Amino acid sequence: MNNSTQKDEHELSTFLDSGIYRFQNSNAVFIDPVRVLNRSYTGFRVSASAYYSRFLETKYAEKETKVSSNSKKRKRKQKKPHILNERERAADQRHQEVKPVLLKAHEALLGATDLLMIMGKLRTEICSSSECGVEQSFVELGRVWQAPMYEITFNFNQGSEIDRCSEQRVLPLFNNLVANETCDDVEAEILTRRYILPRQSCFFMSDLGQIHNLIPAESNCGFNLIVIDPPWENGSARQKSLYPTLPNRYFLSLPVKQLTHTEGALVALWMTNREKLYNFVQKELFPTWGVSYVATFYWLKVKGDGSLISDLDLFHHRPYECLLLGYCSLEEANCKYQSGFRAIKDNQIIISIPGDSSRKPPIGELLHEYVPGPRPARCVELFAREVTAGCVSWGNEPLHFQDSRYFSGKLDD
């Protein structure tokens, strides 16, 4: 057995435990979000079939084939090629610069045959969750006048398997920091639905006007990893009513610097490929937040068989998104030169199968080596739609993916 084969087998074994596969001689990693998320849970499992339903179901493949066929028909009807405007040319130039890196990362994935075999088995998992019915819309729930009266009920199980007893705790649902400080998962109830909260996690559910309540009284209690996934204005999301979006100017008011730890913070911002948005972030948003840009990571989206979810050169539907990284410091000096901030290699690639629309892969572990200040990292995720262990999740629907329908049951079932 040669050294390369041994490394591949070691990497595969590590992947089965961690959910992260690092390709040899590459700046790319593959993430199985389900494996990564399940490390936050002691008694429940995130359902792979529920997470990957968009890209593993036969219906999706048939729909995509039909769309591709229609696209070809539309292309034949086009008489003139589309002439790119100045902004579109800039976006295309940015795409052409990163394209070789993306292709090399994808080639690394296609060359990892053992990993591809594991990815192919995801389709066979059957979701055993018995939950049904329409999901609760926390956005709508938070808008009604009764919102301050809604509560979340925690059901704690204590004692041994034989002498187990239950304890309930009832807390306000909105505008309140709700925490599971135990080392085990907790089942909670809101109205008639069940939700699963991982160990050592907490959330604050509110609209943008209440985010100041997250600001710590002292900066040494602040956060040194700040992940932000804004609901950027998006025509597709608006048409499909997937989630409410906000104009760009609203994000200028996010108190990023006030949330930052005394020793600084790594800020990770998800964004789409629109050139207008990229310019806004670089010229207005980061400067307003006090963030110095340092690197861009790319999330390359693939299907269960390893193929890209769309053609790499498809102008308006490219199969990747950007993660912009920057450092925020409470000191006036340029963040790039603070002693506690590490250099980050640009153009790193994260490959994964996407979940539901707008759901991002869990990236905390990939970023921890770059986080300044204390360990374990004090993490906050803004505009979160799920709750993770060791992190504060803020947004108007942080429990969206905690609904028990996204879980396949207890580990001992």
Side-chain angles (χ1 to χ4, degrees):
M1 184 182 294
N2 60 43
N3 191 41
S4 178
T5 304
Q6 287 180 330
K7 286 183 179 179
D8 287 341
E9 289 186 355
H10 171 73
E11 200 56 56
L12 191 65
S13 175
T14 302
F15 166 74
L16 293 174
D17 291 331
S18 68
I20 300 175
Y21 187 101
R22 300 180 185 275
F23 300 101
Q24 293 185 46
N25 304 316
S26 174
N27 63 339
V29 299
F30 176 83
I31 290 183
D32 177 0
V34 172
R35 279 186 168 86
V36 175
L37 290 172
N38 274 332
R39 292 166 59 194
S40 292
Y41 295 90
T42 58
F44 287 85
R45 293 173 299 183
V46 176
S47 167
S49 58
Y51 189 102
Y52 295 124
S53 59
R54 289 175 64 210
F55 294 93
L56 294 180
E57 289 181 353
T58 306
K59 289 181 181 178
Y60 179 86
E62 292 174 351
K63 181 180 178 182
E64 188 174 75
T65 302
K66 194 177 292 183
V67 169
S68 297
S69 176
N70 292 337
S71 298
K72 290 178 181 178
K73 290 179 182 177
R74 285 197 296 270
K75 286 180 182 178
R76 282 198 294 267
K77 290 179 182 178
Q78 290 178 352
K79 294 182 181 179
K80 294 190 214 177
H82 175 66
I83 299 176
L84 301 180
N85 59 36
E86 183 178 354
R87 189 176 289 159
E88 289 172 331
R89 287 196 299 272
D92 188 61
Q93 181 179 350
R94 195 182 304 280
H95 167 72
Q96 296 301 331
E97 290 172 356
V98 75
K99 181 178 176 180
V101 182
L102 294 167
L103 287 172
K104 185 177 180 180
H106 189 228
E107 287 173 5
L109 172 66
L110 296 180
T113 54
D114 289 343
L115 177 61
L116 289 174
M117 287 178 64
I118 294 174
M119 291 169 60
K121 293 177 182 178
L122 292 173
R123 187 187 298 273
T124 62
E125 182 181 319
I126 299 174
C127 178
S128 60
S129 175
S130 59
E131 295 292 330
C132 58
V134 179
E135 290 183 39
Q136 176 64 60
S137 171
F138 291 107
V139 176
E140 295 300 325
L141 204 63
R143 288 173 177 167
V144 299
W145 67 268
Q146 302 100 321
M149 293 182 282
Y150 286 118
E151 297 174 325
I152 179 170
T153 302
F154 278 35
N155 296 307
F156 295 95
N157 290 318
Q158 297 181 330
S160 63
E161 291 292 332
I162 299 174
D163 302 319
R164 177 163 290 184
C165 61
S166 296
E167 175 192 341
Q168 285 192 336
R169 187 171 59 182
V170 181
L171 298 167
L173 178 62
F174 292 101
N175 301 326
N176 182 44
L177 190 64
V178 180
N180 171 22
E181 296 176 339
T182 72
C183 295
D184 294 306
D185 311 333
V186 172
E187 292 184 74
E189 295 178 12
I190 302 171
L191 298 178
T192 60
R193 298 203 65 84
R194 292 169 57 245
Y195 296 84
I196 312 300
L197 295 180
R199 57 183 170 80
Q200 300 292 317
S201 65
C202 59
F203 70 88
F204 190 96
M205 184 147 48
S206 75
D207 60 21
L208 189 57
Q210 300 297 319
I211 192 174
H212 64 274
N213 288 312
L214 279 182
I215 299 173
E218 301 291 340
S219 60
N220 60 3
C221 296
F223 302 97
N224 55 349
L225 175 57
I226 304 175
V227 180
I228 310 174
D229 184 18
W232 303 110
E233 283 190 306
N234 182 304
S236 176
R238 187 171 58 250
Q239 290 171 8
K240 297 176 183 178
S241 300
L242 296 173
Y243 53 87
T245 60
L246 290 172
N248 292 347
R249 66 180 183 277
Y250 279 65
F251 307 125
L252 293 168
S253 65
L254 290 177
V256 172
K257 198 157 190 174
Q258 294 93 319
L259 292 170
T260 295
H261 189 273
T262 305
E263 299 183 46
L266 174 66
V267 177
L269 176 70
W270 287 104
M271 57 173 287
T272 60
N273 296 307
R274 293 171 57 204
E275 189 66 15
K276 179 180 179 181
L277 184 56
Y278 187 87
N279 289 334
F280 168 72
V281 170
Q282 292 278 22
K283 296 177 181 178
E284 294 187 59
L285 196 61
F286 269 12
T288 299
W289 289 350
V291 173
S292 291
Y293 166 81
V294 291
T296 298
F297 286 10
Y298 292 89
W299 173 30
L300 188 61
K301 307 175 188 179
V302 298
K303 303 177 193 174
D305 61 0
S307 62
L308 300 176
I309 65 166
S310 63
D311 187 276
L312 191 58
D313 290 318
L314 195 59
F315 191 83
H316 292 294
H317 299 282
R318 285 173 177 152
Y320 62 89
E321 293 184 38
C322 304
L323 181 69
L324 267 62
L325 302 176
Y327 281 120
C328 185
S329 172
L330 297 184
E331 300 180 10
E332 293 300 321
N334 191 316
C335 294
K336 291 181 181 179
Y337 303 106
Q338 295 297 309
S339 59
F341 297 159
R342 295 188 56 184
I344 304 176
K345 186 178 179 181
D346 202 14
N347 294 339
Q348 296 190 52
I349 312 298
I350 302 166
I351 307 174
S352 77
I353 305 171
D356 281 0
S357 181
S358 84
R359 192 175 191 180
K360 304 300 189 296
I363 55 171
E365 188 169 341
L366 298 177
L367 300 178
H368 277 175
E369 63 178 298
Y370 307 114
V371 174
R375 295 289 190 277
R378 292 179 53 81
C379 172
V380 63
E381 182 174 355
L382 307 183
F383 302 103
R385 302 181 77 204
E386 62 190 315
V387 180
T388 54
C391 188
V392 178
S393 299
W394 171 85
N396 59 5
E397 51 175 355
L399 296 183
H400 180 85
F401 291 114
Q402 302 309 127
D403 190 303
S404 56
R405 74 192 308 162
Y406 293 103
F407 294 78
S408 57
K410 292 187 177 181
L411 291 172
D412 54 2
D413 283 353

